[in-house]
Every structure is written in structure tokens, then in C-alpha cells.
Amino acid sequence: MAISKQYLKTKPVCKVTFSVPAKDANEVTVVGTFNAWDTKSTTLKKLKNGTFKGTVDLEKDNSYEFRYVVDGNYINDDAADAYAWSDYASAENGVLNL
């Protein structure tokens, strides 16, 4: 898994690209505090090589908790900037620091 960040000079925004290698998966979404944990709003596109990829514009100078949902299973990204415990999920969430 990979996360890339591109800060825009003209706006207080960072383009965050999420990449998830999941060749056998049917659907991958990214959920987090930036989209109210909505499993339908940020679906990643499957590429020919089996990687799911998508870009989200996020306001910089903030931290966001997130996880991936791969065919209904919640997983973390090993490239997250940090991890934060969630009592709601009884698991850790990845953290993006922008």
C-alpha cells in the first residue's frame, strides 16, 4: 500500500493519492474522518495491474484518521503517518498528517 501527497501552491489543499494492491478484490474504498466514514463516497478505481487507486483533495494543516475497506474488511495502511486507537472500532486507525 502507498500514500502520496502533493501540496498545491495556490490553495490550502493537499492531493492525497491512495494505492492499494488487491488483485483479487472486487471493491476497495477509503473511509475516514474526511468523509464521515462513508463506505460509498470514496471508491478507488481498479487498474489493470490489480492495484486500486484514487485521489482525494484534503485541507492541509490537519490530521485525518482513515482505513481501507477491501470487500467489506477494514484494513490499515502500513504507510500511514501514525496510528490512533478507536474505541468505536476497537482497533487502530491510520492517521494522515497534512
Side-chain angles (χ1 to χ4, degrees):
M1 288 175 257
I3 300 169
S4 64
K5 302 173 188 174
Q6 179 186 8
Y7 292 90
L8 302 182
K9 293 180 181 178
T10 58
K11 297 179 184 176
V13 170
C14 180
K15 289 187 169 292
V16 180
T17 301
F18 299 96
S19 298
V20 181
K23 190 182 291 188
D24 296 329
N26 294 313
E27 182 179 61
V28 176
T29 59
V30 61
V31 297
T33 53
F34 55 86
N35 65 5
W37 301 94
D38 181 2
T39 59
K40 302 294 182 206
S41 69
T42 313
T43 301
L44 305 182
K45 183 179 179 182
K46 189 171 188 176
L47 306 178
K48 289 181 181 180
N49 67 1
T51 298
F52 286 79
K53 195 171 188 177
T55 302
V56 179
D57 290 351
L58 299 176
E59 191 175 311
K60 69 178 189 174
D61 299 324
N62 285 309
S63 291
Y64 302 92
E65 291 186 27
F66 76 101
R67 294 186 89 184
Y68 299 114
V69 183
V70 179
D71 289 341
N73 298 309
Y74 286 80
I75 61 169
N76 274 323
D77 192 322
D78 54 5
D81 295 327
Y83 297 94
W85 180 260
S86 168
D87 287 334
Y88 179 78
S90 296
E92 287 188 325
N93 294 325
V95 176
L96 278 174
N97 295 316
L98 304 179

Coordinates of all heavy atoms in Angstrom, one line a residue:
M1 N 0.8 -1.2 0.0 CA 0.0 0.0 0.0 C 0.9 1.2 0.0 O 2.0 1.2 0.5 CB -0.9 0.0 1.2 CG -2.0 -1.1 1.1 SD -3.0 -1.2 2.6 CE -2.3 -2.7 3.3
A2 N 0.3 2.3 -0.5 CA 1.1 3.5 -0.6 C 0.2 4.7 -0.5 O -0.9 4.7 -0.9 CB 1.9 3.5 -1.9
I3 N 0.8 5.8 0.0 CA 0.1 7.1 0.1 C 1.1 8.1 -0.5 O 2.3 8.2 -0.1 CB -0.2 7.5 1.5 CG1 -1.1 6.4 2.1 CG2 -0.9 8.8 1.6 CD1 -1.3 6.6 3.6
S4 N 0.6 9.0 -1.4 CA 1.5 10.1 -1.9 C 0.7 11.4 -1.7 O -0.5 11.4 -1.8 CB 1.8 9.9 -3.4 OG 0.7 9.9 -4.2
K5 N 1.5 12.4 -1.3 CA 0.9 13.7 -1.0 C 1.5 14.7 -2.0 O 2.7 14.8 -2.2 CB 1.2 14.1 0.4 CG 0.7 13.1 1.4 CD 1.2 13.5 2.8 CE 0.9 12.4 3.8 NZ 1.6 12.7 5.1
Q6 N 0.6 15.5 -2.5 CA 1.0 16.6 -3.4 C 0.3 17.9 -2.9 O -0.9 18.1 -3.0 CB 0.6 16.4 -4.9 CG 1.0 17.5 -5.8 CD 0.5 17.3 -7.2 OE1 -0.3 16.4 -7.5 NE2 0.9 18.2 -8.1
Y7 N 1.1 18.8 -2.3 CA 0.6 20.1 -1.8 C 0.5 21.1 -2.9 O 1.4 21.2 -3.7 CB 1.6 20.6 -0.7 CG 1.6 19.8 0.5 CD1 2.4 18.7 0.7 CD2 0.6 20.0 1.6 CE1 2.4 17.9 1.8 CE2 0.6 19.2 2.7 CZ 1.5 18.2 2.8 OH 1.5 17.4 4.0
L8 N -0.6 21.8 -3.0 CA -0.8 22.8 -4.0 C -0.3 24.1 -3.5 O -0.5 24.5 -2.4 CB -2.3 22.9 -4.3 CG -3.0 21.6 -4.9 CD1 -4.4 21.8 -5.2 CD2 -2.3 21.0 -6.1
K9 N 0.3 24.9 -4.4 CA 0.9 26.2 -4.0 C -0.2 27.2 -4.0 O -0.1 28.2 -3.3 CB 2.0 26.6 -5.0 CG 3.2 25.7 -4.9 CD 4.3 26.1 -5.8 CE 5.5 25.2 -5.7 NZ 6.5 25.6 -6.7
T10 N -1.3 27.1 -4.8 CA -2.3 28.1 -5.0 C -3.5 27.9 -4.0 O -4.3 28.8 -3.9 CB -2.8 28.1 -6.4 OG1 -3.3 26.8 -6.7 CG2 -1.7 28.5 -7.4
K11 N -3.6 26.8 -3.4 CA -4.7 26.5 -2.5 C -4.3 25.8 -1.2 O -3.2 25.1 -1.3 CB -5.8 25.6 -3.2 CG -6.4 26.2 -4.4 CD -7.4 25.2 -5.0 CE -8.0 25.7 -6.3 NZ -8.8 24.7 -6.9
P12 N -5.0 26.0 -0.1 CA -4.6 25.3 1.1 C -5.0 23.8 1.1 O -5.7 23.3 2.0 CB -5.3 26.1 2.2 CG -6.5 26.6 1.5 CD -6.1 26.8 0.1
V13 N -4.7 23.1 0.0 CA -5.2 21.7 -0.2 C -4.0 20.8 -0.5 O -3.0 21.2 -1.1 CB -6.1 21.7 -1.4 CG1 -6.5 20.3 -1.9 CG2 -7.4 22.5 -1.1
C14 N -4.1 19.6 -0.1 CA -3.2 18.5 -0.4 C -3.9 17.4 -1.2 O -4.9 17.0 -0.7 CB -2.5 18.0 0.8 SG -1.3 16.6 0.5
K15 N -3.4 17.1 -2.4 CA -4.0 16.0 -3.1 C -3.3 14.7 -2.6 O -2.1 14.5 -2.7 CB -3.7 16.1 -4.6 CG -4.5 17.2 -5.3 CD -4.2 17.2 -6.8 CE -5.2 18.1 -7.5 NZ -6.6 17.7 -7.4
V16 N -4.1 13.8 -2.0 CA -3.6 12.6 -1.4 C -4.1 11.4 -2.3 O -5.3 11.3 -2.5 CB -4.2 12.4 0.1 CG1 -3.7 11.1 0.6 CG2 -3.8 13.6 0.9
T17 N -3.1 10.7 -2.8 CA -3.4 9.5 -3.6 C -3.2 8.2 -2.8 O -2.1 8.0 -2.3 CB -2.5 9.5 -4.9 OG1 -2.7 10.7 -5.6 CG2 -2.8 8.3 -5.8
F18 N -4.2 7.4 -2.8 CA -4.2 6.1 -2.1 C -4.0 5.0 -3.1 O -4.7 5.0 -4.1 CB -5.5 5.9 -1.3 CG -5.8 7.0 -0.3 CD1 -6.6 8.0 -0.5 CD2 -5.2 6.8 1.0 CE1 -6.9 9.0 0.4 CE2 -5.5 7.8 2.0 CZ -6.3 8.9 1.7
S19 N -3.1 4.1 -2.9 CA -2.9 3.0 -3.7 C -2.9 1.7 -2.9 O -2.2 1.6 -1.9 CB -1.5 3.1 -4.5 OG -1.5 4.2 -5.3
V20 N -3.8 0.8 -3.3 CA -3.9 -0.5 -2.6 C -3.8 -1.7 -3.5 O -4.6 -1.9 -4.4 CB -5.3 -0.5 -1.9 CG1 -5.5 -1.8 -1.1 CG2 -5.5 0.7 -1.0
P21 N -2.7 -2.5 -3.4 CA -2.6 -3.7 -4.2 C -3.6 -4.7 -3.7 O -3.4 -5.2 -2.6 CB -1.2 -4.1 -4.1 CG -0.7 -3.5 -2.8 CD -1.6 -2.3 -2.5
A22 N -4.6 -5.0 -4.5 CA -5.6 -6.0 -4.1 C -6.2 -6.7 -5.3 O -7.3 -6.5 -5.7 CB -6.7 -5.3 -3.3
K23 N -5.3 -7.5 -6.0 CA -5.6 -8.1 -7.3 C -6.9 -8.9 -7.2 O -7.7 -8.9 -8.2 CB -4.5 -9.0 -7.7 CG -4.6 -9.5 -9.1 CD -3.4 -10.4 -9.5 CE -2.2 -9.6 -9.6 NZ -1.0 -10.4 -10.1
D24 N -7.2 -9.6 -6.1 CA -8.3 -10.5 -6.1 C -9.6 -9.8 -5.5 O -10.7 -10.4 -5.4 CB -8.0 -11.7 -5.2 CG -6.9 -12.6 -5.8 OD1 -6.8 -12.6 -7.1 OD2 -6.2 -13.2 -5.1
A25 N -9.5 -8.5 -5.1 CA -10.6 -7.8 -4.6 C -11.6 -7.3 -5.6 O -11.2 -7.1 -6.8 CB -10.1 -6.6 -3.7
N26 N -12.8 -7.2 -5.3 CA -13.8 -6.6 -6.2 C -14.0 -5.1 -5.9 O -14.3 -4.4 -6.9 CB -15.2 -7.3 -6.0 CG -15.1 -8.8 -6.4 OD1 -14.6 -9.1 -7.5 ND2 -15.6 -9.6 -5.6
E27 N -13.9 -4.7 -4.7 CA -14.1 -3.3 -4.4 C -13.2 -2.8 -3.2 O -13.1 -3.5 -2.2 CB -15.6 -3.0 -4.0 CG -15.9 -1.6 -3.7 CD -17.4 -1.3 -3.4 OE1 -17.9 -1.9 -2.4 OE2 -18.0 -0.6 -4.1
V28 N -12.6 -1.6 -3.4 CA -11.8 -1.0 -2.3 C -12.3 0.4 -2.2 O -12.4 1.2 -3.1 CB -10.3 -1.1 -2.6 CG1 -9.5 -0.4 -1.5 CG2 -9.8 -2.5 -2.8
T29 N -12.6 0.8 -0.9 CA -12.9 2.2 -0.6 C -12.0 2.7 0.5 O -11.4 1.9 1.2 CB -14.4 2.4 -0.2 OG1 -14.6 1.6 1.0 CG2 -15.4 1.9 -1.3
V30 N -11.9 4.0 0.6 CA -11.1 4.6 1.7 C -12.1 5.4 2.5 O -12.9 6.1 1.9 CB -9.9 5.4 1.2 CG1 -10.3 6.6 0.4 CG2 -9.1 5.9 2.4
V31 N -12.1 5.2 3.8 CA -13.1 5.8 4.7 C -12.3 6.5 5.8 O -11.2 6.1 6.1 CB -14.1 4.9 5.3 CG1 -15.0 4.2 4.2 CG2 -13.4 3.8 6.1
G32 N -12.8 7.6 6.3 CA -12.2 8.3 7.4 C -12.9 9.5 7.9 O -14.0 9.8 7.5
T33 N -12.2 10.3 8.7 CA -12.8 11.5 9.2 C -13.1 12.5 8.2 O -14.0 13.4 8.3 CB -11.9 12.1 10.3 OG1 -10.6 12.3 9.8 CG2 -11.9 11.2 11.6
F34 N -12.4 12.4 7.0 CA -12.6 13.4 5.9 C -13.9 13.1 5.1 O -14.4 14.0 4.4 CB -11.4 13.4 5.0 CG -11.1 12.1 4.4 CD1 -11.7 11.6 3.3 CD2 -10.1 11.3 5.1 CE1 -11.4 10.3 2.8 CE2 -9.8 10.0 4.6 CZ -10.4 9.5 3.4
N35 N -14.5 11.9 5.3 CA -15.8 11.6 4.6 C -16.8 11.0 5.5 O -17.7 10.3 5.0 CB -15.5 10.8 3.3 CG -15.0 9.4 3.6 OD1 -14.9 9.0 4.8 ND2 -14.7 8.6 2.6
A36 N -16.7 11.3 6.8 CA -17.6 10.8 7.8 C -17.7 9.3 7.8 O -18.8 8.7 8.1 CB -19.0 11.4 7.6
W37 N -16.6 8.6 7.4 CA -16.6 7.1 7.4 C -17.6 6.5 6.5 O -18.1 5.4 6.7 CB -16.7 6.5 8.8 CG -15.6 7.1 9.7 CD1 -15.7 8.1 10.6 CD2 -14.3 6.5 9.9 NE1 -14.5 8.3 11.2 CE2 -13.6 7.4 10.8 CE3 -13.6 5.5 9.3 CZ2 -12.3 7.1 11.2 CZ3 -12.3 5.3 9.7 CH2 -11.6 6.1 10.6
D38 N -17.9 7.2 5.4 CA -18.9 6.7 4.4 C -18.3 5.8 3.5 O -17.4 6.1 2.7 CB -19.5 7.9 3.7 CG -20.6 7.6 2.7 OD1 -20.9 6.4 2.6 OD2 -21.1 8.5 2.0
T39 N -18.7 4.5 3.5 CA -18.1 3.5 2.6 C -18.5 3.6 1.2 O -18.0 2.8 0.3 CB -18.5 2.1 3.1 OG1 -20.0 2.0 3.1 CG2 -18.0 1.8 4.5
K40 N -19.4 4.5 0.8 CA -19.8 4.7 -0.6 C -19.2 5.9 -1.3 O -19.3 6.0 -2.5 CB -21.4 4.8 -0.7 CG -22.1 3.6 -0.1 CD -21.8 2.3 -0.9 CE -22.6 1.2 -0.3 NZ -22.0 -0.1 -0.5
S41 N -18.6 6.8 -0.5 CA -18.3 8.1 -1.1 C -16.9 8.1 -1.8 O -16.7 8.9 -2.7 CB -18.3 9.2 -0.1 OG -17.3 9.1 0.9
T42 N -16.0 7.3 -1.4 CA -14.6 7.3 -1.9 C -14.2 5.9 -2.4 O -13.3 5.3 -1.7 CB -13.6 7.9 -0.9 OG1 -14.2 9.1 -0.3 CG2 -12.3 8.3 -1.6
T43 N -14.7 5.5 -3.5 CA -14.4 4.2 -4.0 C -13.1 4.4 -4.9 O -13.0 5.3 -5.7 CB -15.5 3.6 -4.9 OG1 -16.7 3.5 -4.0 CG2 -15.2 2.3 -5.5
L44 N -12.2 3.5 -4.7 CA -10.9 3.5 -5.5 C -11.1 2.8 -6.8 O -11.9 1.8 -6.9 CB -9.8 3.0 -4.7 CG -9.5 3.6 -3.4 CD1 -8.3 3.0 -2.7 CD2 -9.3 5.1 -3.5
K45 N -10.5 3.2 -7.9 CA -10.6 2.6 -9.2 C -9.6 1.5 -9.4 O -8.4 1.6 -9.0 CB -10.4 3.6 -10.3 CG -10.5 3.1 -11.7 CD -10.3 4.2 -12.7 CE -10.5 3.7 -14.1 NZ -10.3 4.7 -15.1
K46 N -10.0 0.3 -9.9 CA -9.1 -0.8 -10.1 C -8.4 -0.6 -11.4 O -9.0 -0.4 -12.5 CB -9.9 -2.1 -10.1 CG -9.0 -3.3 -10.1 CD -9.8 -4.6 -9.9 CE -8.8 -5.8 -9.7 NZ -9.6 -7.0 -9.4
L47 N -7.1 -0.7 -11.3 CA -6.2 -0.6 -12.5 C -6.0 -2.0 -13.1 O -6.2 -3.0 -12.4 CB -4.9 0.1 -12.2 CG -5.0 1.5 -11.5 CD1 -3.6 2.0 -11.1 CD2 -5.7 2.4 -12.4
K48 N -5.4 -2.1 -14.3 CA -5.2 -3.3 -15.0 C -4.2 -4.2 -14.2 O -4.3 -5.5 -14.3 CB -4.7 -3.1 -16.4 CG -5.7 -2.6 -17.3 CD -5.1 -2.4 -18.7 CE -6.2 -1.8 -19.6 NZ -5.7 -1.6 -21.0
N49 N -3.3 -3.6 -13.4 CA -2.3 -4.4 -12.7 C -2.9 -4.9 -11.3 O -2.1 -5.6 -10.6 CB -1.0 -3.6 -12.5 CG -1.2 -2.4 -11.5 OD1 -2.3 -2.2 -11.0 ND2 -0.2 -1.7 -11.3
G50 N -4.1 -4.6 -11.1 CA -4.7 -5.2 -9.8 C -4.7 -4.2 -8.6 O -5.2 -4.5 -7.6
T51 N -4.1 -3.0 -8.8 CA -4.0 -2.0 -7.8 C -5.2 -1.1 -7.9 O -5.6 -0.7 -8.9 CB -2.7 -1.2 -7.9 OG1 -1.6 -2.0 -7.8 CG2 -2.6 -0.1 -6.9
F52 N -5.8 -0.8 -6.7 CA -6.8 0.2 -6.6 C -6.2 1.5 -6.3 O -5.4 1.6 -5.4 CB -7.8 -0.3 -5.5 CG -8.7 -1.4 -5.9 CD1 -8.2 -2.7 -5.9 CD2 -10.0 -1.2 -6.4 CE1 -9.0 -3.8 -6.2 CE2 -10.8 -2.3 -6.7 CZ -10.3 -3.6 -6.7
K53 N -6.7 2.6 -7.0 CA -6.1 3.9 -6.8 C -7.1 5.0 -6.8 O -8.1 4.9 -7.6 CB -5.0 4.1 -7.9 CG -4.1 5.2 -7.7 CD -3.0 5.1 -8.7 CE -1.9 6.1 -8.4 NZ -0.8 6.0 -9.4
G54 N -6.9 6.0 -6.0 CA -7.8 7.1 -6.1 C -7.2 8.3 -5.4 O -6.3 8.2 -4.5
T55 N -7.6 9.5 -5.7 CA -7.1 10.8 -5.1 C -8.2 11.5 -4.5 O -9.3 11.7 -5.0 CB -6.4 11.6 -6.2 OG1 -5.4 10.8 -6.9 CG2 -5.8 12.9 -5.7
V56 N -7.9 12.1 -3.3 CA -8.8 12.9 -2.5 C -8.1 14.2 -2.2 O -6.9 14.2 -1.8 CB -9.2 12.2 -1.2 CG1 -10.1 13.0 -0.4 CG2 -9.8 10.8 -1.5
D57 N -8.8 15.3 -2.4 CA -8.3 16.6 -2.0 C -8.7 16.9 -0.5 O -9.9 16.9 -0.2 CB -8.9 17.7 -2.9 CG -8.4 17.7 -4.3 OD1 -7.5 17.0 -4.6 OD2 -9.0 18.5 -5.1
L58 N -7.7 17.1 0.3 CA -7.9 17.3 1.7 C -7.2 18.6 2.1 O -6.2 19.0 1.6 CB -7.3 16.2 2.5 CG -7.9 14.8 2.3 CD1 -7.1 13.8 3.1 CD2 -9.3 14.8 2.6
E59 N -7.9 19.3 3.1 CA -7.4 20.6 3.6 C -6.1 20.3 4.4 O -6.0 19.4 5.2 CB -8.4 21.2 4.5 CG -8.1 22.6 4.9 CD -9.3 23.2 5.7 OE1 -10.4 23.1 5.3 OE2 -9.0 23.8 6.8
K60 N -5.1 21.1 4.0 CA -3.8 20.9 4.7 C -3.8 21.5 6.1 O -4.7 22.1 6.5 CB -2.6 21.5 3.9 CG -2.6 23.0 3.8 CD -1.4 23.4 3.0 CE -1.2 24.9 3.0 NZ 0.1 25.3 2.4
D61 N -2.7 21.2 6.9 CA -2.6 21.6 8.3 C -3.6 20.9 9.2 O -4.1 21.5 10.2 CB -2.7 23.1 8.4 CG -1.6 23.8 7.7 OD1 -0.4 23.3 7.6 OD2 -1.8 24.9 7.1
N62 N -4.0 19.7 8.8 CA -5.0 18.9 9.6 C -4.5 17.5 9.7 O -3.6 17.0 8.9 CB -6.4 18.9 8.9 CG -7.1 20.2 9.1 OD1 -7.2 20.7 10.2 ND2 -7.6 20.7 8.0
S63 N -5.0 16.7 10.6 CA -4.8 15.3 10.7 C -6.1 14.6 10.4 O -7.2 15.0 10.9 CB -4.3 14.9 12.0 OG -3.0 15.4 12.2
Y64 N -6.1 13.4 9.7 CA -7.3 12.7 9.4 C -7.1 11.2 9.8 O -6.0 10.7 9.4 CB -7.6 12.8 7.9 CG -7.8 14.2 7.4 CD1 -6.7 14.9 6.9 CD2 -9.0 14.8 7.5 CE1 -6.9 16.2 6.5 CE2 -9.2 16.1 7.0 CZ -8.2 16.8 6.5 OH -8.3 18.1 6.1
E65 N -8.0 10.6 10.4 CA -8.0 9.1 10.6 C -8.6 8.5 9.4 O -9.6 9.0 8.8 CB -8.7 8.8 11.9 CG -8.0 9.2 13.1 CD -8.7 8.7 14.4 OE1 -9.3 7.7 14.4 OE2 -8.5 9.4 15.5
F66 N -8.1 7.3 9.0 CA -8.7 6.6 7.9 C -8.4 5.1 7.9 O -7.5 4.7 8.7 CB -8.1 7.2 6.6 CG -6.7 6.8 6.3 CD1 -6.4 5.8 5.4 CD2 -5.6 7.3 7.0 CE1 -5.1 5.3 5.1 CE2 -4.3 6.9 6.7 CZ -4.1 5.9 5.8
R67 N -9.1 4.4 7.1 CA -8.9 2.9 6.9 C -9.4 2.6 5.5 O -10.2 3.3 4.9 CB -9.6 2.1 7.9 CG -9.1 2.3 9.3 CD -9.8 1.3 10.3 NE -9.0 0.1 10.3 CZ -9.3 -1.0 11.0 NH1 -10.4 -1.0 11.7 NH2 -8.5 -2.0 11.0
Y68 N -8.9 1.5 5.0 CA -9.4 0.9 3.7 C -10.5 -0.1 4.0 O -10.4 -0.8 5.0 CB -8.3 0.3 2.9 CG -7.2 1.2 2.5 CD1 -6.0 1.1 3.0 CD2 -7.5 2.3 1.7 CE1 -4.9 1.9 2.7 CE2 -6.5 3.2 1.3 CZ -5.2 3.0 1.8 OH -4.2 3.8 1.5
V69 N -11.5 -0.2 3.1 CA -12.5 -1.3 3.2 C -12.3 -2.1 1.9 O -12.6 -1.6 0.8 CB -13.9 -0.7 3.3 CG1 -14.9 -1.9 3.5 CG2 -14.0 0.2 4.5
V70 N -11.7 -3.3 2.1 CA -11.5 -4.2 1.0 C -12.5 -5.3 1.0 O -12.4 -6.2 1.9 CB -10.0 -4.8 1.0 CG1 -9.8 -5.7 -0.1 CG2 -9.0 -3.6 1.1
D71 N -13.4 -5.3 0.1 CA -14.5 -6.3 0.1 C -15.2 -6.5 1.4 O -15.4 -7.6 1.9 CB -14.0 -7.6 -0.5 CG -13.7 -7.6 -2.0 OD1 -14.2 -6.7 -2.7 OD2 -13.0 -8.5 -2.5
G72 N -15.4 -5.3 2.1 CA -16.1 -5.4 3.4 C -15.2 -5.5 4.6 O -15.7 -5.4 5.8
N73 N -13.9 -5.8 4.4 CA -13.0 -5.9 5.6 C -12.2 -4.6 5.7 O -11.5 -4.2 4.8 CB -12.0 -7.1 5.3 CG -12.8 -8.4 5.2 OD1 -13.6 -8.7 6.1 ND2 -12.5 -9.1 4.1
Y74 N -12.1 -4.1 7.0 CA -11.4 -2.9 7.3 C -9.9 -3.3 7.5 O -9.6 -4.2 8.3 CB -11.9 -2.3 8.5 CG -13.3 -1.6 8.3 CD1 -14.4 -2.3 8.2 CD2 -13.3 -0.2 8.1 CE1 -15.7 -1.6 8.0 CE2 -14.5 0.5 7.9 CZ -15.7 -0.3 7.9 OH -16.9 0.4 7.6
I75 N -9.0 -2.5 6.8 CA -7.6 -2.8 7.0 C -6.9 -1.4 7.1 O -7.4 -0.4 6.6 CB -7.0 -3.6 5.8 CG1 -7.2 -2.9 4.5 CG2 -7.5 -5.0 5.8 CD1 -6.4 -3.6 3.4
N76 N -5.7 -1.4 7.7 CA -4.9 -0.2 7.8 C -3.8 -0.2 6.7 O -3.5 -1.2 6.1 CB -4.2 -0.1 9.2 CG -5.1 0.5 10.2 OD1 -5.8 1.4 9.9 ND2 -5.0 0.0 11.4
D77 N -3.3 1.0 6.5 CA -2.2 1.2 5.5 C -0.9 1.2 6.3 O -0.8 2.0 7.2 CB -2.4 2.5 4.8 CG -1.5 2.6 3.6 OD1 -0.3 2.2 3.7 OD2 -1.9 3.1 2.5
D78 N 0.1 0.4 5.9 CA 1.3 0.4 6.6 C 2.2 1.6 6.3 O 3.2 1.9 7.0 CB 2.1 -0.9 6.3 CG 2.3 -1.1 4.8 OD1 1.9 -0.3 4.0 OD2 2.9 -2.2 4.5
A79 N 1.7 2.5 5.4 CA 2.4 3.7 5.1 C 1.7 4.9 5.8 O 2.1 6.1 5.5 CB 2.4 3.9 3.6
A80 N 0.8 4.7 6.7 CA 0.2 5.8 7.5 C 1.3 6.6 8.3 O 2.3 6.0 8.7 CB -0.9 5.3 8.4
D81 N 1.0 7.8 8.5 CA 1.9 8.7 9.2 C 2.0 8.3 10.7 O 3.0 8.4 11.4 CB 1.5 10.1 9.1 CG 1.7 10.7 7.7 OD1 2.6 10.2 7.0 OD2 0.9 11.5 7.3
A82 N 0.9 7.8 11.2 CA 0.7 7.3 12.6 C -0.5 6.5 12.7 O -1.2 6.2 11.7 CB 0.6 8.6 13.5
Y83 N -0.8 6.0 14.0 CA -2.0 5.2 14.2 C -2.7 5.7 15.5 O -2.0 6.2 16.4 CB -1.6 3.7 14.4 CG -1.0 3.1 13.1 CD1 0.3 3.1 12.9 CD2 -1.9 2.7 12.1 CE1 0.9 2.6 11.8 CE2 -1.3 2.2 10.9 CZ 0.0 2.2 10.8 OH 0.6 1.7 9.6
A84 N -4.0 5.7 15.5 CA -4.7 6.1 16.7 C -5.8 5.1 17.0 O -6.5 4.6 16.1 CB -5.4 7.5 16.3
W85 N -5.9 4.8 18.3 CA -6.9 3.8 18.8 C -8.3 4.4 18.7 O -8.5 5.5 19.0 CB -6.6 3.4 20.2 CG -7.6 2.4 20.7 CD1 -8.6 2.7 21.5 CD2 -7.6 1.0 20.4 NE1 -9.3 1.5 21.8 CE2 -8.7 0.5 21.1 CE3 -6.8 0.2 19.7 CZ2 -9.0 -0.9 21.0 CZ3 -7.1 -1.2 19.6 CH2 -8.2 -1.7 20.3
S86 N -9.2 3.6 18.2 CA -10.6 3.9 18.1 C -11.4 3.0 19.0 O -11.5 1.8 18.8 CB -11.1 3.8 16.7 OG -12.5 3.9 16.6
D87 N -12.0 3.5 20.1 CA -12.9 2.7 20.9 C -14.1 2.2 20.2 O -14.6 1.1 20.4 CB -13.3 3.6 22.1 CG -12.2 3.8 23.2 OD1 -11.3 2.9 23.2 OD2 -12.3 4.8 23.9
Y88 N -14.6 3.0 19.2 CA -15.7 2.7 18.4 C -15.5 1.4 17.6 O -16.3 0.5 17.6 CB -16.2 3.8 17.5 CG -17.3 3.5 16.6 CD1 -18.6 3.5 17.2 CD2 -17.2 3.1 15.3 CE1 -19.7 3.2 16.4 CE2 -18.3 2.8 14.5 CZ -19.5 2.8 15.1 OH -20.6 2.5 14.3
A89 N -14.3 1.3 17.0 CA -14.0 0.2 16.2 C -13.2 -0.9 16.9 O -13.0 -2.0 16.4 CB -13.2 0.6 15.0
S90 N -12.8 -0.6 18.1 CA -11.9 -1.5 18.9 C -10.7 -1.9 18.1 O -10.3 -3.1 18.1 CB -12.7 -2.7 19.4 OG -13.7 -2.3 20.3
A91 N -10.1 -0.9 17.4 CA -9.0 -1.2 16.5 C -8.3 0.1 16.3 O -8.8 1.2 16.6 CB -9.4 -1.8 15.2
E92 N -7.1 0.1 15.7 CA -6.4 1.3 15.4 C -6.8 1.7 14.0 O -7.0 0.9 13.1 CB -4.9 1.0 15.4 CG -4.3 0.9 16.8 CD -2.7 0.8 16.7 OE1 -2.2 0.2 15.8 OE2 -2.1 1.4 17.7
N93 N -6.8 3.1 13.8 CA -7.0 3.7 12.5 C -5.7 4.3 12.1 O -4.9 4.7 12.9 CB -8.0 4.8 12.6 CG -9.4 4.3 12.9 OD1 -9.8 3.2 12.5 ND2 -10.2 5.1 13.7
G94 N -5.4 4.3 10.8 CA -4.3 5.0 10.3 C -4.5 6.5 10.4 O -5.7 7.0 10.4
V95 N -3.5 7.3 10.5 CA -3.6 8.8 10.6 C -2.7 9.4 9.5 O -1.6 9.0 9.2 CB -3.0 9.2 12.0 CG1 -3.1 10.8 12.0 CG2 -3.8 8.7 13.1
L96 N -3.3 10.4 8.8 CA -2.6 11.2 7.8 C -2.4 12.6 8.4 O -3.3 13.2 8.9 CB -3.5 11.4 6.6 CG -3.6 10.4 5.5 CD1 -4.6 10.8 4.5 CD2 -2.3 10.2 4.8
N97 N -1.2 13.0 8.4 CA -0.8 14.3 8.9 C -0.5 15.2 7.7 O 0.5 14.9 7.0 CB 0.4 14.3 9.9 CG 0.0 13.6 11.2 OD1 -1.1 13.7 11.7 ND2 0.9 12.7 11.6
L98 N -1.2 16.2 7.5 CA -1.0 17.1 6.3 C -0.6 18.5 6.7 O -1.0 19.0 7.7 CB -2.3 17.2 5.4 CG -2.8 15.8 5.0 CD1 -4.1 16.0 4.1 CD2 -1.8 15.1 4.1

